[in-house]
Amino acid sequence: MVGISPNNGVNGKAKQFSGFGPHACLRFLVFFFVLYSVFLTVFCRETSAIEKTVYTLAAYPTNDPKKVFYAIKPLSDHISSKTGWEVRTVVTRNYEEMVQRLTDGSVDMGLMSSSSYVRFARSIPGLSYVATYMEMDEGGEITPFYRSVIVAMTSSPLKTAEDLKGKRFGFTNTYSTSGYVIPAAMLSARGIDPRTFLGKIFFLGRHDAVVEALRAGSVDAGAVSDGALAAARRRYGDVFCEIAVSEPIPLDAFVAGATVPRGHRETLREILISLSQDSVPMEAFRRNLDWPAAGFRALDDSFYDPLRRAMGIRTEK
């Protein structure tokens, strides 16, 4: 027969409750702390995953797309190493694709040719100027300018713009500053309409393609940047004749699209202008593209106003 303890009943329950003493409280606090630590770790991991930043940096194909990719990839990697962002690298098929992808947000940042920048920047929602690409000129000075050159072979009888009448001519792309916009303006300033004065016109896409077409005799003359001409002379010797040389042209603009918040744009600017001439990204530009790359400088959108005026684009007051 089971006996009944005199502590059963109300008094017994009171005794059991009172057993939640200091040791039990300590166990509860330890359990709560462990639970909180696990929750905090998971929460931080989830938050980190949500906030992970992935950007796409693009360049346009002034040269062999593979060379352009390997030239620009170290810049993407450098930005990643400084920020912790994942920065992917793409080379667009042409200037038009660069504009389209900055517009639709599939590209977040990159280098725009100066003529594309002045023509389209204000029509791309949220696009902002970050910095200007710099080069070293033949005198050893770091400059934000370059020039366009109309060129033929030295073996050719072509010596002046007037000699180009009816001749085969190679441009790069209608969006190219030094490969079309400026040389066409140079001819127009001489009273020459390229569409009617020249013979057959070829749009060859890249500056190096114009050089190779000249060497092969596929075109009689063409338009390239002074940097592309200098690279061609280093490779092939002094076999090119300058027919006309432009006034200084602003170099490419590094831009950020609407997908890049203001704080990140400022971070990008700081990273770019801190690049020295002998930095890995600038060395990659020189090695792969033979450009005299010398870093970036934070100027202003208004720096491109002279080019806007030259292209007949209204500048904002």
Side-chain angles (χ1 to χ4, degrees):
M1 183 174 179
V2 179
I4 300 175
S5 168
N7 290 326
N8 288 344
V10 176
N11 290 334
K13 291 181 179 179
K15 184 174 181 180
Q16 289 174 6
F17 182 78
S18 65
F20 190 73
H23 294 294
C25 288
L26 181 60
R27 287 194 298 273
F28 175 78
L29 289 174
V30 170
F31 171 78
F32 178 80
F33 178 78
V34 171
L35 182 64
Y36 175 79
S37 298
V38 171
F39 174 79
L40 184 62
T41 301
V42 172
F43 176 78
C44 289
R45 187 182 299 123
E46 291 295 326
T47 302
S48 177
I50 292 170
E51 294 180 350
K52 182 180 180 181
T53 303
V54 180
Y55 288 132
T56 297
L57 188 158
Y60 56 93
T62 59
N63 205 307
D64 180 336
K66 288 184 179 179
K67 291 182 178 180
V68 175
F69 177 85
Y70 288 115
I72 204 76
K73 180 67 163 59
L75 179 59
S76 299
D77 294 342
H78 180 73
I79 294 171
S80 292
S81 70
K82 292 293 185 181
T83 60
W85 308 336
E86 180 182 345
V87 183
R88 300 169 179 170
T89 306
V90 300
V91 178
T92 59
R93 289 170 297 184
N94 47 45
Y95 296 82
E96 296 95 321
E97 183 185 346
M98 168 74 84
V99 172
Q100 179 58 45
R101 295 189 64 177
L102 282 165
T103 301
D104 66 26
S106 60
V107 158
D108 306 289
M109 62 186 75
L111 280 170
M112 288 187 80
S113 71
S114 49
S115 63
S116 292
Y117 176 71
V118 302
R119 186 183 297 177
F120 298 107
R122 292 172 182 170
S123 65
I124 299 175
L127 190 80
S128 65
Y129 166 87
V130 177
T132 296
Y133 165 70
M134 307 288 288
E135 290 190 339
M136 180 171 286
D137 65 20
E138 293 182 355
E141 295 293 324
I142 295 177
T143 175
F145 297 103
Y146 74 126
R147 296 175 188 268
S148 174
V149 186
I150 295 176
V151 63
M153 302 299 291
T154 54
S155 57
S156 165
L158 306 179
K159 303 301 177 187
T160 68
E162 288 68 28
D163 295 335
L164 297 174
K165 184 174 178 62
K167 302 302 181 182
R168 298 166 301 168
F169 197 94
F171 289 111
T172 58
N173 182 290
T174 55
Y175 286 1
S176 172
T177 310
S178 59
Y180 177 73
V181 174
I182 295 301
M186 290 164 60
L187 293 174
S188 295
R190 289 170 165 80
I192 295 172
D193 183 342
R195 296 168 298 178
T196 57
F197 186 84
L198 300 174
K200 192 165 185 178
I201 294 175
F202 298 88
F203 288 96
L204 301 174
R206 308 193 314 257
H207 293 260
D208 60 336
V210 173
V211 169
E212 295 307 321
L214 279 167
R215 293 185 63 249
S218 302
V219 298
D220 302 302
V224 295
S225 68
D226 58 353
L229 177 58
R233 281 175 168 158
R234 285 191 292 271
R235 184 173 183 181
Y236 300 118
D238 192 16
V239 296
F240 303 97
C241 170
E242 297 177 9
I243 292 176
V245 181
S246 75
E247 294 296 317
I249 310 166
L251 277 162
D252 296 357
F254 192 100
V255 299
T259 52
V260 182
R262 178 178 296 180
H264 286 190
R265 296 174 195 174
E266 294 171 356
T267 299
L268 277 171
R269 180 176 290 112
E270 292 171 2
I271 292 171
L272 292 173
I273 64 176
S274 69
L275 286 169
S276 65
Q277 184 180 345
D278 59 355
S279 63
V280 171
M282 293 300 97
E283 198 280 328
F285 275 49
R286 291 192 295 273
R287 182 179 66 256
N288 291 284
L289 300 177
D290 213 0
W291 291 0
F296 290 86
R297 183 179 298 171
L299 299 172
D300 189 81
D301 173 79
S302 61
F303 171 69
Y304 294 88
D305 280 348
L307 181 57
R308 289 188 175 98
R309 288 191 288 269
M311 292 174 61
I313 298 172
R314 186 175 62 85
T315 57
E316 295 181 350
K317 295 181 179 180

